Amino acid sequence: MKFLIGLIAGLIAFPIVAAIYFLGGFAPAAVSARAFPFEGIIAGGALEARLHREAPKRDLSSFTTADFVAGAQTYRKGCDGCHGLPGQKPLVPKMYPQPPELFTPDGYVTDDPVGFTYWKIKNGIRMTGMPSFDGVFSDEEMWRTAALLASADKLPSQAMDILKQPMFPPGAAEQEKAGDSKTPVK
Ligand code: HEC
């Protein structure tokens, strides 16, 4: 009986405490705030479970150099500003979560099945800045970009050449320099 009363009291108290925490302005909301309790487990766990259920499978070895080159071109159109390039930092200011730098050893997704990465590109990642590219790029473009990222540590030089081009066209950098020299020295 005591147990039952305790259980019911607990069931009533939990949503009240949670409501005060979230609606009372105690939960972190700013980009630079720390994660709220269990945030990682809730968000990451749901995504992981979904990927296992739903992500399609494809053999990475079926992708050719031409696929990686096409994937690099798509990456340059839709991704580099947020996720960076080999040797070049992303352009985005602070975000939460911050987009991982997908061409650094810390950010590589080379251990993930290529289908997981394809799923993330197609569907985006809810409650993060990761957009869905469904309808923006074709299915094959998304697969090739996923294959590119799955092989990020061992890409053919033809794909690397595309990824190594500067993020701004050279003209833009020159203009910026010219602008700087016009600012008065004194
Ligand atoms: C507006 C910024 C933005 C753009 C543009 C963007 N992403 Fe993301 N992406 C994010 C953020 C933020 C995350 C982190 C999500 C998280 O922490 O769960 C992310 C996560 C990912 C992940 C998961 C990384 C991991 O460690 O599991 C992959 C893969 C990815 N993005 C690929 C891409 C590709 C490919 C493109 C271009 C077609 C792209 N993203 C465009 C912001 C962006």
Side-chain angles (χ1 to χ4, degrees):
M1 190 61 194
K2 262 192 189 155
F3 171 77
L4 212 66
I5 293 170
L7 184 72
I8 291 166
L11 286 178
I12 295 168
F14 181 76
I16 294 174
V17 172
I20 293 171
Y21 179 68
F22 286 105
L23 304 179
F26 297 104
V31 159
S32 57
R34 72 204 183 285
F36 64 72
F38 310 118
E39 183 173 319
I41 296 172
I42 295 167
L47 174 64
E48 201 54 35
R50 193 82 186 187
L51 287 169
H52 281 284
R53 254 186 55 181
E54 198 172 86
K57 292 194 173 66
R58 205 155 139 181
D59 198 354
L60 190 55
S61 64
S62 65
F63 292 91
T64 63
T65 297
D67 291 325
F68 293 125
V69 166
Q73 279 158 347
T74 301
Y75 186 87
R76 292 303 313 249
K77 282 187 215 151
C79 326
D80 57 2
C82 277
H83 289 294
L85 291 163
Q88 293 183 70
K89 294 242 153 222
L91 301 173
V92 282
K94 254 191 197 174
M95 285 176 73
Y96 186 91
Q98 195 72 30
E101 292 182 42
L102 297 173
F103 286 99
T104 61
D106 278 350
Y108 282 153
V109 291
T110 47
D111 288 341
D112 289 347
V114 62
F116 280 24
T117 298
Y118 162 82
W119 189 99
K120 290 175 187 173
I121 299 170
K122 185 178 164 84
N123 298 294
I125 304 175
R126 200 176 171 82
M127 299 234 272
T128 77
M130 174 61 194
S132 152
F133 288 91
D134 196 18
V136 177
F137 296 125
S138 73
D139 228 40
E140 210 41 39
E141 284 172 323
M142 292 188 280
W143 270 114
R144 288 166 167 163
T145 311
L148 176 90
L149 294 175
S151 315
D153 55 349
K154 46 179 181 297
L155 286 172
S157 59
Q158 294 93 320
M160 280 307 274
D161 287 346
I162 295 168
L163 299 175
K164 281 193 168 152
Q165 271 155 42
M167 212 153 343
F168 289 115
E174 289 309 307
Q175 260 175 17
E176 207 168 67
K177 267 190 217 142
D180 278 349
S181 65
K182 265 184 235 145
T183 48
V185 186
K186 297 188 274 187

